[in-house]
Amino acid sequence: MPDSKEKLSYVTLVLHWLIASIIIILLIVEMDYPILHKSLGLLIIIPVIVRIYWRSKNGYLPKANFINKNNSYKAIKFELLLAKVSHWFLIIGSLSLPLSGILISIYGGYGLSLFGLELLAPNQDRTGSLIIPLNQDISILAQDIHSIISNMLIIILALHIAGALKHHFIYKDKTLYRMLGIKK
Ligand code: HEM
Ligand code: HEM
C-alpha cells in the first residue's frame, strides 16, 4: 500500500521510527558504549538503504491535510521547502554518519566488528598490544566529518521535531498522528 494523504504505509512508519530511535540513541550516548555505538551504527545502514530505495520508488510523502488559514501562501511554500530540504538532510546524514564512522575505524587501525563478531581484524603490532593506524590523516579527516555531520544532524533534528509539534499544536493537522500511525 503506498503512502497517502490519510495514511502512511507500514514500511514508511517502521523505517522512520526504527531509524529515528537508533539515531537518537547514538546521538545521546555518543561513544560512552563504543561496541553499541559502532554495531548499531553499522546495522542502521540496512534500513537506511531500504528507505532510500522506498522513497525513490514511492516519491516524496504526500502532504497530510494541511490547512493553515493564518499563514500566507508564501510562508506555507517556505515551510514545505524547509521540510523537504531537512528530510533530505536527515536521510543523507543517516547514511554519511555510518560511512564516515567506518572510515574512522578502518583507517584508525581498529578494524570493524558487530557486537563482538569480527568483520575486519584490527591492525596490531607483533605483540598484539598496540593498534597501528592504516592512515592517520584519513582517520582524523573522517573524525572531523563525523563530528560536523552529527552536530548538523542535531540542529536539523531539533527543527524537524519543532516542525512536527507546530503541525500538531498550531496547525492542528494530522501530520504527527499520520507518522505515529494513529487514525483520527
Ligand atoms: C521524536 C523524533 C521525531 C519526530 C516527532 C518525527 C516526526 C516526523 C513526522 C511527523 C514526519 C512526517 C512529515 C510529513 O508528513 O511531511 C516525519 C518525516 C520524516 N522524518 Fe521524522 N521524526 C522524528 C525523528 C526523526 C529522525 C531522528 C530522523 C532521522 C533520520 C527522521 C527523519 C525523517 C524523514 C527522512 C522523514 C520524511 C519521510 C520519510 O522518509 O520517512 N525523523 N518525521
Ligand atoms: C547513524 C549512525 C551514527 C551516529 C548517529 C553517530 C554519532 C556519533 C556522535 C554524535 C559522535 C560524537 C562526535 C563528537 O565528538 O563530536 C560520534 C563519535 C564517534 N563515532 Fe559515531 N555515529 C554513528 C555511526 C558510527 C559508526 C558506524 C562508527 C564505526 C564503525 C562510528 C564510530 C565513531 C567513533 C570512532 C567516534 C569517536 C570519534 C572521535 O574520537 O572524535 N560511528 N558518533
Side-chain angles (χ1 to χ4, degrees), residues 64-80:
N65 289 326
F66 170 28
I67 307 158
N68 172 18
K69 297 185 191 88
N70 306 325
N71 264 350
S72 68
Y73 178 64
K74 246 184 168 171
I76 295 173
K77 255 187 115 176
F78 173 71
E79 286 185 8
L80 290 175

Side-chain angles (χ1 to χ4, degrees), residues 3-175:
D3 297 314
S4 74
K5 256 173 156 1
E6 282 78 31
K7 200 170 184 287
L8 296 179
S9 62
Y10 287 113
V11 180
T12 296
L13 297 183
V14 170
L15 288 172
H16 179 268
W17 292 111
L18 176 71
I19 296 170
S21 43
I22 296 180
I23 295 224
I24 291 171
I25 290 173
L26 295 185
L27 289 176
I28 292 173
V29 303
E30 293 193 353
M31 284 295 271
D32 291 348
Y33 307 98
I35 296 177
L36 181 81
H37 185 111
K38 295 183 186 181
S39 305
L40 281 183
L42 274 182
L43 283 177
I44 204 178
I45 294 178
I46 300 167
V48 166
I49 289 177
V50 174
R51 177 192 237 167
I52 292 173
Y53 170 74
W54 182 248
R55 283 269 71 85
S56 62
K57 202 167 150 267
N58 291 286
Y60 189 73
L61 284 193
K63 290 188 284 295
N65 289 326
F66 170 28
I67 307 158
N68 172 18
K69 297 185 191 88
N70 306 325
N71 264 350
S72 68
Y73 178 64
K74 246 184 168 171
I76 295 173
K77 255 187 115 176
F78 173 71
E79 286 185 8
L80 290 175
L81 179 71
L82 199 62
K84 211 171 211 170
V85 172
S86 49
H87 289 169
W88 275 110
F89 183 87
L90 291 169
I91 291 179
I92 293 167
S94 48
L95 186 63
S96 50
L97 274 176
L99 296 182
S100 53
I102 291 172
L103 294 182
I104 308 176
S105 276
I106 294 182
Y107 285 101
Y110 296 98
L112 281 181
S113 58
L114 199 61
F115 292 111
L117 172 77
E118 190 172 277
L119 303 176
L120 182 75
N123 188 36
Q124 289 163 318
D125 69 348
R126 280 183 193 192
T127 63
S129 55
L130 250 178
I131 297 278
I132 305 167
L134 292 182
N135 187 323
Q136 186 96 44
D137 291 342
I138 298 184
S139 177
I140 291 175
L141 179 68
Q143 255 176 46
D144 291 342
I145 293 174
H146 198 70
S147 170
I148 292 170
I149 297 177
S150 58
N151 285 314
M152 283 171 73
L153 194 64
I154 291 172
I155 297 170
I156 306 278
L157 186 57
L159 196 70
H160 182 65
I161 295 174
L165 295 177
K166 186 173 184 192
H167 275 280
H168 193 71
F169 291 111
I170 297 182
Y171 299 155
K172 297 187 171 46
D173 64 20
K174 293 180 186 138
T175 304

